[in-house]
Amino acid sequence: MRNLSSLKKEFLRKWIKGLRKYNSQKKNMNLLERKKAIKLSADLAMASTKDKTTLWRKALFANTSTKIDDEQDMSTTSSTPQKKVIRKNSTNSYPLRKRITGRRKILRRNHTKERVEASFIAMRLVKKRTRKLKSLLPGGKFMDDSCLVDETLDYIESLKAQVEVMRCLVTSSELFINQP
Amino acid sequence: MEQTTLESIQFNEEIQGIMAPASETANSFTALLELPPTQVVELLHSPEITGKPPKPYPLTCDTGNLTFPSNTTARFSVLAGENKNSPEVKDEVPETEGGGCVSDPTIENKKSKGAKRKEREKKVKVSSKKIKSIGDENSGNGGDELPYVHVRVRRGQATDSHSLAERARREKINARMKLLQELVPGCNKISGTALVLDKIINHVQSLQHEVEILSMKLAAVNPIIDSNLESILATEGLSLMDSNFPATVAPVVWPETPHNGNRQQFQIPWQSDAFHQPLWGRGENNPNFMTPENSLLSYDSSANSVSLHSNQMKMEQ
């Protein structure tokens, strides 16, 4: 709780700025677009809190900027030919995935005998979980163990701040709307 | 006494040897003499106190005059007393020969700029090799200390440099995991890394899902984000440029509402035209001035408990 409130304030400020900018671009957005806009600007705001420079922030920056670029491309260009292309790509990848998973299964069978001692089981479990955590965290695949723990600490803190700010905003806007 | 003078002379020779490339004067012991005493004090300070950032040392001499050889020995012993590594250094010195003594201050000198853990581990490697060469007394004792590193080598555990580094790394990770355990609720009683990691993963996932859901909610609640936000913030008297409002702006008296009747009284001023007044009135209860973001953030998720006091308490966190 050391600087949670300041974190929240900063996040709120930047988020609102981002939202405004987003709104200036497009006037009428449907639900999904709005949600995307909200999420993106929230991500950006989270990623740009100034006092810490951590790996996940940089990765988040990169991700959101690419997403924003994608979205702008999607919106500006004519929709139908591009959408067809994208759909074709998505369908083409499916059989590939099947093949790859098949290979992995075969590999596992040929794998050397797995050791059954307790320490190895424990290690395997921990490794599984660290892999999962890495997949959760933005930019997690590039981190080693010690780095990972630090980053999750930071990430959890800022996620908490983000959630609390959003919750407050939701309740306040609900109150506001219900009144007049 | 003789031993300390010997050590001091050796150290001085090392210092002078290090000094020689830096200084352009002669290579002899008298080069040190040519320096003003304050700089000598600095030199004696810097190689020994590791782990401190290289600040420009204030040129204050504790003693008024430094007459050179006798005071340097005194100075060295004083410095050695100040330095926390000193007992280990002193232990090291009588054990090893003069040759072993030579490399220590050089190493320490190199590491004087911000000794990090890795560098300490390197020292461990060097010193552990020396200790091995001399005798295995260290590994035999229980709970002994290796110099330069705050890693305890327990009885029967290897003094191998690799395993030491690994152990240091593991301890670092475990310390961080403890911090994480405190952060994530419900992790304190669980022992075992895998389960704790499980909980952490669940927590992160749930937080991410909540962000998604809340952003959906927000998108649904506000047909147009911009105008609603503006109106919300406008009622709070907020313009994004200046987030700080002086306390003098809040003149209005908001009647202190009892806990039960809060909700209705809360709602009514919302509808009134003077929107900003009640909010600033609330701010008046707070001795510090309230930024608009604070007021926004105080509309806590527990909309049912609408007591002003509880809201303010949460705000003051």
Side-chain angles (χ1 to χ4, degrees), chain B residues 51-127:
Chain B
K52 282 191 186 173
K55 317 182 244 183
Y57 281 98
L59 297 180
T60 57
C61 253
D62 291 338
T63 65
N65 308 316
L66 266 190
T67 62
F68 200 72
S70 57
N71 267 15
T72 51
T73 62
R75 178 87 21 196
F76 170 67
S77 54
V78 163
L79 292 174
E82 287 171 5
N83 191 8
K84 54 179 176 179
N85 283 333
S86 61
E88 290 114 347
V89 171
K90 280 187 183 160
D91 287 338
E92 169 83 348
V93 166
E95 283 178 12
T96 66
E97 308 124 356
C101 194
V102 167
S103 49
D104 301 340
T106 57
I107 294 173
E108 288 207 84
N109 217 2
K110 282 179 204 162
K111 317 292 186 200
S112 63
K113 297 186 181 179
K116 296 176 187 175
R117 202 103 193 241
K118 285 183 187 168
E119 293 165 335
R120 275 184 220 155
E121 286 165 5
K122 279 186 204 160
K123 283 185 209 168
V124 168
K125 285 182 191 168
V126 173
S127 56

Side-chain angles (χ1 to χ4, degrees), chain A residues 134-147:
Chain A
K134 279 187 188 178
S135 70
L136 275 183
L137 218 51
K141 2 179 203 171
F142 312 113
M143 300 181 203
D144 57 338
D145 279 344
S146 54
C147 211

Side-chain angles (χ1 to χ4, degrees), chain B residues 197-261:
Chain B
L197 275 177
D198 242 354
K199 282 231 161 177
I200 292 171
I201 287 174
N202 287 337
H203 197 237
V204 169
Q205 266 177 338
S206 68
L207 281 176
Q208 282 177 338
H209 285 317
E210 269 205 69
V211 168
E212 287 263 347
I213 290 173
L214 280 173
S215 60
M216 259 297 195
K217 243 187 174 181
L218 259 183
V221 159
N222 297 334
I224 307 169
I225 308 174
D226 198 20
S227 64
N228 259 348
L229 264 184
E230 298 247 18
S231 46
I232 292 176
L233 299 172
T235 61
E236 317 236 353
L238 164 70
S239 66
L240 275 179
M241 296 308 128
D242 44 316
S243 54
N244 298 329
F245 274 74
T248 54
V249 174
V252 182
V253 178
W254 167 288
E256 266 293 352
T257 57
H259 287 253
N260 298 327

Side-chain angles (χ1 to χ4, degrees), chain A residues 28-103:
Chain A
N28 298 324
M29 298 192 267
N30 61 2
L31 183 72
L32 286 174
E33 286 178 333
R34 254 183 283 138
K35 179 229 169 194
K36 226 179 184 180
I38 288 174
K39 184 120 198 290
L40 282 177
S41 31
D43 284 342
L44 267 180
M46 241 202 353
S48 59
T49 51
K50 50 184 171 173
D51 45 337
K52 295 163 199 167
T53 50
T54 45
L55 257 177
W56 67 264
R57 281 174 214 259
K58 297 178 189 166
L60 197 57
F61 246 142
N63 288 345
T64 47
S65 50
T66 51
K67 278 185 200 163
I68 288 177
D69 288 340
D70 288 343
E71 212 178 300
Q72 282 178 347
D73 288 341
M74 290 280 288
S75 58
T76 52
T77 61
S78 59
S79 53
T80 41
Q82 295 238 346
K83 277 187 183 170
K84 281 183 185 171
V85 168
I86 290 170
R87 268 184 223 146
K88 271 189 190 170
N89 286 338
S90 58
T91 50
N92 277 340
S93 61
Y94 181 60
L96 271 175
R97 262 184 239 150
K98 252 192 170 176
R99 262 180 258 151
I100 289 172
T101 49
R103 265 188 222 140

Side-chain angles (χ1 to χ4, degrees), chain B residues 36-57:
Chain B
T38 54
Q39 285 194 20
V40 172
V41 170
E42 267 188 288
L43 281 173
L44 287 175
H45 264 292
S46 51
E48 298 192 352
I49 301 180
T50 63
K52 282 191 186 173
K55 317 182 244 183
Y57 281 98

Side-chain angles (χ1 to χ4, degrees), chain A residues 9 11 22-23 26 38 45 61 76 93 96 103 108 120 128 140 145 162 171:
Chain A
K9 280 185 228 170
F11 170 73
Y22 226 108
N23 259 322
K26 274 180 123 193
I38 288 174
F61 246 142
T76 52
S93 61
L96 271 175
R103 265 188 222 140
R108 278 216 193 107
F120 286 113
K128 252 195 206 174
D145 279 344
Q162 193 182 17
T171 52

